[in-house]
Amino acid sequence: MQLFAEDGYNAVSTSKVARMAGVSEGLVFRHFKSKEGLLNAVMEMGKKRIIALFAKVSEKDEPKAVLRRIIEIPFNIGQDEYHFWRLIYMVKWQTNDYIDSLFEPINEMLIKAFRELDYSDPQSEAEAIKMMIDGIATNLLLRRTENPQNLLKSIFEKYDL
Amino acid sequence: MQLFAEDGYNAVSTSKVARMAGVSEGLVFRHFKSKEGLLNAVMEMGKKRIIALFAKVSEKDEPKAVLRRIIEIPFNIGQDEYHFWRLIYMVKWQTNDYIDSLFEPINEMLIKAFRELDYSDPQSEAEAIKMMIDGIATNLLLRRTENPQNLLKSIFEKYDL
Amino acid sequence: MQLFAEDGYNAVSTSKVARMAGVSEGLVFRHFKSKEGLLNAVMEMGKKRIIALFAKVSEKDEPKAVLRRIIEIPFNIGQDEYHFWRLIYMVKWQTNDYIDSLFEPINEMLIKAFRELDYSDPQSEAEAIKMMIDGIATNLLLRRTENPQNLLKSIFEKYDL
Amino acid sequence: MQLFAEDGYNAVSTSKVARMAGVSEGLVFRHFKSKEGLLNAVMEMGKKRIIALFAKVSEKDEPKAVLRRIIEIPFNIGQDEYHFWRLIYMVKWQTNDYIDSLFEPINEMLIKAFRELDYSDPQSEAEAIKMMIDGIATNLLLRRTENPQNLLKSIFEKYDL
DNA sequence: CATGAATGAGGGTTCATTCAT
DNA sequence: GATGAATGAACCCTCATTCAT
């Protein structure tokens, strides 16, 4: 995961993977059939972690709290999930599989929250939040932003949270 | 540009480029010195188009109009600029050169506009807009969003535009 | 060794090497890392043979016998060592590594012998012999000389051997 | 000549030649037909200089003086002839044309001189001298020898010159 | 006479994948 | 299960040579 996330799928050779894992190159193919199989396995592994992450959000019921939690998600990317997030966004641009499925539960929570807050177009609002998350993630993952906390505050204000 | 934008720098072979351009592979190297030289040339070419695009914004003086123009930018990515935008965002994830310089003029316009509108933290607001643009571009370029116009409206409302 | 010796390092393609060895081109690089690595391996291999050759000389103690043995060396280049000698002299002209180290032990034996024979400038005499060896090798390796035995005799006479 | 002499025929690209000569690459081929044609022209050019060099020797009649002159030749390689000599010896190892023709006049002078000095095998003596010249040239051209004058003296003594 | 754009074969090298052990 | 030697296709790039201008 680390290698794929840092260098991109194409730039990582299977020999590098094997070396880093401390096994023979042959073994990689025995287990994962092909390089792509390895990628799939890695993605699957990480998906579970992300889903667990999203699960925590749904516990809260109060709509504003839900929004807050969701918007905070990309700001709280820890060292552990860092590689996986980077991988996801990296892969998005290389394969054409936009990993929507991952964000589907989030999507529904957003719509529900906006509806409860009487927004006129909950669907579009949800869309806007997801885009914002993409934008935030893009920027944070590429290490550009200096003080994300101010940014978070300014977003919260926009939604009166 | 099209090839790099669609498949990513690494995944495009110089022979593919040559074939698509209808020339010999050797010629590519005669003109651009190396594969990276070709990328640079393509980027430079596109930069000019982007800069021209941004130039139009500065003509307007009224701060709300400026904001509107800027936010609209990613929604108006035409067929012509499509490949270049995709290329920029693609490259961002493959090399570590975040192409900030391109967005620098936009950044200053944003800060100025927010200041004139008496926002309390213009810097962070500008940051937020740029992230939003990244998010919007990411989504539109990966062909995910169905009706972007609603989305645009909902963003405008947020800033009372 | 044979290919490098006959055609010169530059003129030998790795594909030619692979074909002649009856293996795939990839394997050459797996074993030797690069074309230069292959050259080094070949040189190292041959060096050992040469050193073994020189070792025989030192057994003799009597100075004139030592001289005789040393001068005879290039005349006795066998089919086995032929390629390696050719390689050494070939490489000398292509890289700037004059392989002096190989001849260092010989050099000292020569000086010692000339000193014992009361030559006035043993150093220069040794130098002269080494040049002669270079000359002889050059000529024999390029297959020019017809009857080297007469030549050997005439050299021996010069040193009263 | 300089390029070929320094880097070897194979390592010099025609584009390098053209650049160094300050002309277009096409012109090189217009004049010399091919890269090999260029080499031939260069060789031919230099041959004349060498022959002129040798011509001076024949003026002297006294056999010992002739020998001295001939043996001195490689010691007097000037900056002008340096490249050509290097080229000749370089080429010897890359093509199989040993350029004997060049040395033929020298050969005959040597035989004549040794005969006049009543050497028992003038032919082999001439052979020995030529080898010595090759050895000396090899060493001087590869910049190894420190004080060639001592060496020259020690050779002269050997022939009682 | 002179240019330089264009070519195509071949250069060294990497890499995903296979397979005997 | 695990290895690593072996493969061959593809990669980026160089180069001698041609040819329209």
Side-chain angles (χ1 to χ4, degrees), chain D residues 141-156:
Chain D
L141 290 171
L142 295 174
R143 261 168 287 219
R144 181 181 162 215
T145 312
E146 285 126 34
N147 49 355
Q149 292 316 315
N150 284 352
L151 178 57
L152 181 58
K153 218 186 80 189
S154 117
I155 295 172
F156 276 1

Side-chain angles (χ1 to χ4, degrees), chain A residues 91-109:
Chain A
V91 165
K92 264 212 277 208
W93 289 96
Q94 305 212 350
T95 78
N96 267 352
D97 294 340
Y98 199 101
I99 317 183
D100 279 331
S101 55
L102 261 178
F103 284 77
E104 196 43 45
I106 288 293
N107 193 42
E108 301 195 355
M109 286 184 235

Side-chain angles (χ1 to χ4, degrees), chain C residues 33-53:
Chain C
K33 198 82 182 162
S34 68
K35 191 183 173 187
E36 207 190 329
L38 171 61
L39 176 61
N40 290 339
V42 166
M43 293 291 282
E44 219 55 44
M45 235 181 67
K47 263 189 203 174
K48 280 177 195 153
R49 281 206 244 158
I50 294 276
I51 286 169
L53 207 76

